[in-house]
Amino acid sequence: MYPNLYYAFQDLFGLELPFLKVFQTFGFFVAIAFLAAAYVLTIELRRREKLGWLYGIKEKIVVGKPASTGELILNGILGFLLGYKLVGLFLQWSVASQDFQGFIFSGAGSWPAGIALGALFVYLKYKDKKKHASEKPKEEMVLVMPHQRVPDFTVMAAIAGLIGAKIFHNLENWNDFKQDPWGSLISFSGLTFYGGLIVAAVVIINYARKKQINVWHLVDSAAPALMLSYGVGRMGCQFSGDGDWGIVNTHPNPFAWLPDWAWAYRYPHNVINEGIPIPGCEGKYCHMLELPVYPTPLYEIIACLILFGILWGIRKRISTPGVIFGIYLVMNGIERFFIEKIRVNTKYDIWLHPTQAEIIAALMVIGGAVLIWYCRKSFAAKKTVS
């Protein structure tokens, strides 16, 4: 396992690069997942724009304005935080290198560096705005297409998704949250995908409506991107060993062609230090599971990349708005429902003892099937009338 990129480069390339300890493996793959989703979403939105299914709207912008007080304050805060933490990181390397995450969320840092970099950011923003400022700022109308809003979607998905993922995870593991509320909130592990998906979807759909973007075509465009990002995100779970693994599996490997580590795995050097000490290992991440488990993140990586390929392949064959997204809901729900059968998760003490993910997955399958039926019926009726 590679808790952070330092361990990955050390093992794969034999390179000792201590600064890479800052970059957590899980966070790295989450970032790659967002970038991959943004790229795929942009491609599909452009395609639908060319077909005339999506349109842009004109927005008013002001050209030639000097830097506002708000812009200067925001840049000053950003510069201060970067200077305070990054310079502080190097000045207190011996302490920070032991626990980067703890250092980032602590009050430790360099005040002089923070103030200096904050002032520099303010000056650069002021100078840049002044360079393009005019005596009489003027208003211009520009056409903004849906694909140009992908950066907005990405930022909103990242923020709302993280909040939703944390909320749903802590609701599912309430006892753990009560024991360590602050640790549960700041930890980059312990994220519930469906929580992030639900909250991010609400925020983005609300934004799309305000910008007059056809929601049906937007969610259809997002379906392949969502499946791809989920598969890439699971790579972070697998390679870091963040605890999202399966139940104990001590059965012999029944498949001659399947490597033993793909059947049952002990996740050595996992990022959460779960299990028993590894003999002879020294350092922070020196634990492995006492008994092997199903490497469920690996299975989800493979499944979701295959499902992404299917969605990407059929997207041009289906023109009825909403159907592609309905298919995505069904696919994702079925995949997650069955993986839950061999995955470690908190079960609710109700009828059939389901997990939170099983409940949501079942609702996704039902909702997706209903959505496909509704869209086909609704849009077919509109074509008949027209």
Side-chain angles (χ1 to χ4, degrees):
M1 295 296 96
Y2 307 121
N4 54 52
L5 296 189
Y6 167 79
Y7 291 93
F9 275 72
Q10 182 187 52
D11 183 49
L12 299 175
F13 309 111
L15 299 176
E16 296 279 348
L17 303 173
F19 71 91
L20 289 178
K21 292 181 180 179
V22 177
F23 302 100
Q24 297 291 314
T25 302
F26 178 78
F28 171 77
F29 276 102
V30 169
I32 295 299
F34 274 106
L35 292 175
Y39 177 72
V40 170
L41 177 59
T42 300
I43 292 175
E44 184 59 11
L45 288 175
R46 283 180 179 272
R47 186 182 75 86
R48 290 174 184 263
E49 290 166 3
K50 289 180 180 179
L51 291 172
W53 295 347
L54 287 169
Y55 305 91
I57 62 172
K58 290 187 175 182
E59 292 189 350
K60 186 185 296 182
I61 62 171
V62 180
V63 180
K65 284 179 61 178
S68 67
T69 303
E71 289 175 321
L72 295 177
I73 291 175
L74 183 61
N75 275 264
I77 293 174
L78 178 61
F80 173 79
L81 290 175
L82 288 174
Y84 184 72
K85 282 298 179 183
L86 289 182
V87 176
L89 183 69
F90 290 102
L91 293 178
Q92 304 176 44
W93 180 257
S94 59
V95 176
S97 61
Q98 301 301 315
D99 185 6
F100 283 104
Q101 186 172 315
F103 178 83
I104 293 298
F105 286 99
S106 72
S110 173
W111 280 93
I115 294 172
L117 197 59
L120 178 62
F121 271 46
V122 170
Y123 171 73
L124 291 176
K125 187 66 176 180
Y126 170 79
K127 185 178 179 180
D128 180 65
K129 281 286 189 175
K130 186 177 181 180
K131 180 180 178 181
H132 298 92
S134 59
E135 293 184 3
K136 293 183 179 180
K138 59 180 181 179
E139 295 181 346
E140 292 183 357
M141 297 298 292
V142 296
L143 182 66
V144 182
M145 299 299 290
H147 79 268
Q148 294 174 300
R149 301 190 188 277
V150 170
D152 295 342
F153 294 147
T154 304
V155 172
M156 286 186 286
I159 297 174
L162 178 61
I163 294 172
K166 271 297 176 186
I167 291 174
F168 275 67
H169 173 79
N170 289 321
L171 287 175
E172 186 179 19
N173 300 276
W174 186 250
N175 291 330
D176 294 339
F177 174 74
K178 288 191 297 182
Q179 292 177 7
D180 184 15
W182 179 244
S184 298
L185 289 174
I186 68 173
S187 171
F188 287 106
S189 61
L191 300 175
T192 299
F193 169 75
Y194 284 147
L197 176 65
I198 293 169
V199 175
V202 171
V203 172
I204 291 174
I205 289 175
N206 184 57
Y207 173 80
R209 285 175 174 167
K210 289 181 179 179
K211 299 301 181 181
Q212 300 175 38
I213 299 174
N214 186 297
V215 173
W216 290 117
H217 284 295
L218 175 61
V219 296
D220 277 348
S221 301
L226 287 171
M227 192 66 81
L228 175 62
S229 66
Y230 184 57
V232 175
R234 279 299 182 210
M235 293 180 185
C237 298
Q238 176 65 18
F239 295 135
S240 69
D242 70 344
D244 287 328
W245 44 59
I247 58 177
V248 171
N249 177 23
T250 56
H251 302 291
N253 183 355
F255 308 105
W257 51 268
L258 186 69
D260 288 339
W261 55 264
W263 172 253
Y265 196 48
R266 296 179 68 181
Y267 285 91
H269 308 287
N270 62 79
V271 72
I272 61 174
N273 281 311
E274 182 76 16
I276 59 176
I278 299 174
C281 178
E282 296 181 359
K284 184 178 179 181
Y285 305 103
C286 286
H287 286 75
M288 63 180 177
L289 301 183
E290 183 174 3
L291 296 173
V293 299
Y294 287 106
T296 51
L298 175 63
Y299 303 156
E300 289 202 277
I301 292 168
I302 296 171
C304 289
L305 292 181
I306 292 173
L307 294 177
F308 161 72
I310 294 173
L311 286 172
W312 193 249
I314 66 174
R315 76 192 198 287
K316 293 183 179 180
R317 302 179 184 180
I318 300 174
S319 59
T320 304
V323 172
I324 291 291
F325 188 68
I327 295 173
Y328 159 76
L329 291 176
V330 173
M331 285 181 168
N332 187 282
I334 291 174
E335 179 274 321
R336 186 57 185 271
F337 184 85
F338 283 104
I339 206 70
E340 285 292 301
K341 300 303 180 183
I342 57 170
R343 187 170 178 269
V344 174
N345 233 329
T346 304
K347 295 182 179 292
Y348 289 125
D349 191 20
I350 57 177
W351 184 61
L352 295 180
H353 301 285
T355 66
Q356 181 189 87
E358 284 178 331
I359 295 173
I360 298 176
L363 292 175
M364 286 180 71
V365 173
I366 296 171
V370 171
L371 181 62
I372 295 170
W373 169 82
Y374 170 79
C375 289
R376 283 181 171 174
K377 181 179 179 181
S378 177
F379 288 103
K382 289 181 180 179
K383 288 182 181 179
T384 303
V385 171
S386 61

